[in-house]
């Protein structure tokens, strides 16, 4: 049986490419869009019922949806709660290099000082923290989260 993967933001730059590559690799991709479109599912992260329906019966979520800074944290929480309810234990979360603000030089996983210079970067940091809490929650055996921070997109 092929793994079923929900890709949020499947209509965006990252989500469309990731979804296509996963499909080409043989995965069963459920493409999540803000509004239902042919070949996809409605997955407006501001709509709890849509998110619950979108995560039902998937093995993994690739969270590539883009949202307004002020809504991002609540949308992340909605997605994680729906994953909890559905028993989905695998998450690939797209954050942003914006969490580093105007940092220069070598920036890698070992850089611990996050200094965003705008609300978008701050919202991404808050979402990363929420994802870490979700992944490390007691009693959640088998949970795994990968946080990616793409650069110039």
């Amino acid at each position: 049986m092929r793994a079923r993967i929900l890709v949020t933001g499947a209509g965006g730059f990252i989500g469309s490419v990731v979804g296509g590559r996963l499909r080409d690799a043989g995965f069963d991709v459920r493409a999540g869009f803000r509004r239902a479109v042919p070949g996809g599912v409605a997955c407006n992260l501001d709509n709890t019922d849509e998110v619950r329906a979108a995560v039902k019966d998937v093995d993994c979520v690739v969270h590539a949806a883009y949202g307004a800074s002020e809504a991002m944290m609540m949308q992340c929480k909605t997605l994680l709660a729906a994953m909890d309810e559905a028993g989905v234990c695998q998450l690939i979360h797209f954050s942003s290099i914006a969490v580093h603000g105007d940092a220069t030089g070598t920036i890698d996983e070992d850089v611990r000082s996050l200094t965003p210079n705008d609300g978008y970067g701050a919202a991404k940091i808050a979402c990363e923290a929420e994802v870490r809490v979700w992944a490390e929650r007691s009693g959640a055996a088998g949970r795994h989260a990968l946080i990616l921070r793409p650069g110039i997109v």
Side-chain angles (χ1 to χ4, degrees), residues 10-78:
F13 179 72
I14 292 174
S16 64
V17 172
V18 170
R21 294 285 173 99
L22 288 169
R23 193 173 286 109
D24 290 347
F27 292 96
D28 181 3
V29 175
R30 181 178 292 172
F33 294 86
R34 222 170 253 154
R35 286 173 275 307
V37 299
V41 298
C43 186
N44 181 337
L45 296 170
D46 293 318
N47 184 318
T48 302
D49 291 336
E50 284 184 9
V51 176
R52 284 181 180 142
V55 301
K56 186 177 181 189
D57 299 324
V58 300
D59 303 297
C60 177
V61 173
V62 175
H63 183 32
Y66 172 83
S69 301
E70 56 277 359
M72 205 178 296
M73 182 59 151
M74 194 64 206
Q75 293 170 340
C76 185
K77 286 182 176 187
T78 297

Side-chain angles (χ1 to χ4, degrees), residues 29-150:
V29 175
R30 181 178 292 172
F33 294 86
R34 222 170 253 154
R35 286 173 275 307
V37 299
V41 298
C43 186
N44 181 337
L45 296 170
D46 293 318
N47 184 318
T48 302
D49 291 336
E50 284 184 9
V51 176
R52 284 181 180 142
V55 301
K56 186 177 181 189
D57 299 324
V58 300
D59 303 297
C60 177
V61 173
V62 175
H63 183 32
Y66 172 83
S69 301
E70 56 277 359
M72 205 178 296
M73 182 59 151
M74 194 64 206
Q75 293 170 340
C76 185
K77 286 182 176 187
T78 297
L79 177 62
L80 295 173
M83 290 174 66
D84 273 346
E85 290 174 20
V88 180
C89 297
Q90 311 297 318
L91 172 64
I92 299 170
H93 176 80
F94 277 88
S95 183
S96 171
I97 200 166
V99 301
H100 295 288
D102 293 327
T104 59
T106 302
I107 299 174
D108 60 22
E109 297 83 18
D110 296 324
V111 174
R112 298 289 177 224
S113 176
L114 301 178
T115 54
N117 56 7
D118 61 14
Y120 177 78
K124 286 293 190 179
I125 289 172
C127 289
E128 286 185 17
E130 194 67 25
V131 166
R132 284 188 184 91
V133 167
W134 173 85
E136 297 167 0
R137 189 171 297 134
S138 173
R143 274 198 189 164
H144 301 284
L146 173 65
I147 297 172
L148 302 174
R149 295 175 179 160

